[in-house]
Amino acid sequence: MPPRNRRPAARQLNEAARLADQLQAAGLTKRDIARIINRDPSLVSQFYTRGKGAAFVPALTHVLAAVQTAGITDPAELADIAAPRITRRTTASGARARVRTKAVLITPTGTGTGRAGAQAIATGAARLRPLIAEAARQGLRLAFTVRMPKTSYILASGSRTDSPGIRRDVIQRADHTEERSYGSAATGGFDAADFARRVDAAAGDVTAAVHQWLVETGRIHESAHITHLEIRTWRPR
């Protein structure tokens, strides 16, 4: 009788693990991949150890294509690509399962930052809504930076009327877009509760709420299209 081979057979990687391997070969880390799919890094490790990750295969496939064909490597932009293709699992009762992750990134001092790229902007930058809502609940102040085509702005670059007291210069991009910041700790910023009400009035669409404020205050044209958005929060002194 031939001797038994007691060494266990090597576990074959599932599709999620194979995609994760290719993303890591392209320069991303497991932590980057976790951020892209909006999950804890431990879940990415479980692609290898416990065969998890099937629900993320469509998202990871599109992310890998974006990396390989378009050269996109920024985790935030890749997260925007992945988000519409991630299906939440359901419980036995059919309800959507909860995700064990931090819903809002606000530190005990009140400092928080959230960004939305082109893909997230197209769906209303929903990822920023919890940040604004939590900032409102804590009575925080906020500021934001928008990026859009130069022709979308009404006021001249660097105009004190446009964003008075902001030291940060206007950032001009090679693709003919401009970043402009509104509000800061030095100028007092904006009441998070007011912006939370604006977001609620816009049915949760953060992009629309910010766009409406910019139009109302005479800063941009009605037809302007925001391409990127950043929200920052802090606790007033």
Side-chain angles (χ1 to χ4, degrees):
M1 183 176 178
R4 290 184 178 180
N5 182 3
R6 297 185 178 181
R7 185 177 180 180
R11 182 168 188 162
Q12 186 175 6
L13 295 180
N14 65 15
E15 185 63 17
R18 285 195 291 270
L19 290 166
D21 272 351
Q22 292 180 71
L23 288 170
Q24 289 175 84
L28 295 169
T29 65
K30 286 185 180 180
R31 185 171 294 277
D32 290 332
I33 295 170
R35 179 181 173 192
I36 289 166
I37 62 174
N38 193 28
R39 296 297 188 271
D40 191 90
S42 64
L43 177 61
V44 178
S45 296
Q46 291 176 38
F47 290 177
Y48 301 88
T49 61
R50 299 179 63 182
K52 291 191 176 184
F56 302 99
V57 168
L60 292 174
T61 300
H62 280 82
V63 166
L64 182 62
V67 171
Q68 293 179 336
T69 63
I72 300 173
T73 57
D74 179 51
E77 290 191 44
L78 293 173
D80 292 339
I81 294 171
R85 299 173 176 88
I86 296 175
T87 303
R88 289 273 293 277
R89 64 183 178 85
T90 58
T91 64
S93 64
R96 293 180 68 186
R98 294 179 62 187
V99 176
R100 291 189 297 270
T101 183
K102 291 182 179 179
V104 180
L105 296 178
I106 294 182
T107 68
T109 61
T111 301
T113 304
R115 300 178 181 85
Q119 289 284 339
I121 289 293
T123 56
R127 66 172 58 178
L128 299 179
R129 189 181 187 185
L131 176 69
I132 296 172
E134 180 63 13
R137 189 187 71 80
Q138 294 189 29
L140 305 181
R141 308 293 291 180
L142 64 75
F144 57 90
T145 296
V146 296
R147 178 176 170 186
M148 63 182 73
K150 295 178 183 179
T151 55
S152 299
Y153 297 100
I154 293 174
L155 301 173
S157 298
S159 166
R160 289 185 175 275
T161 305
D162 184 38
S163 193
I166 301 297
R167 294 182 180 178
R168 184 178 301 176
D169 294 333
V170 172
I171 300 176
Q172 299 187 347
R173 301 288 183 176
D175 61 356
H176 305 295
T177 61
E178 258 183 24
E179 285 185 12
R180 298 192 186 184
S181 296
Y182 298 96
S184 71
T187 62
F190 306 102
D191 181 8
D194 176 54
F195 264 87
R197 286 190 289 270
R198 286 177 172 273
V199 172
D200 290 342
D205 190 322
V206 178
T207 309
V210 172
H211 183 279
Q212 185 61 33
W213 183 87
L214 291 167
V215 170
E216 286 178 4
T217 55
R219 288 173 165 83
I220 65 172
H221 297 288
E222 184 76 42
S223 59
H225 175 66
I226 297 173
T227 60
H228 293 75
L229 177 62
E230 178 183 281
I231 302 290
R232 300 177 299 281
T233 71
W234 67 91
R235 194 175 307 285
R237 293 179 180 177

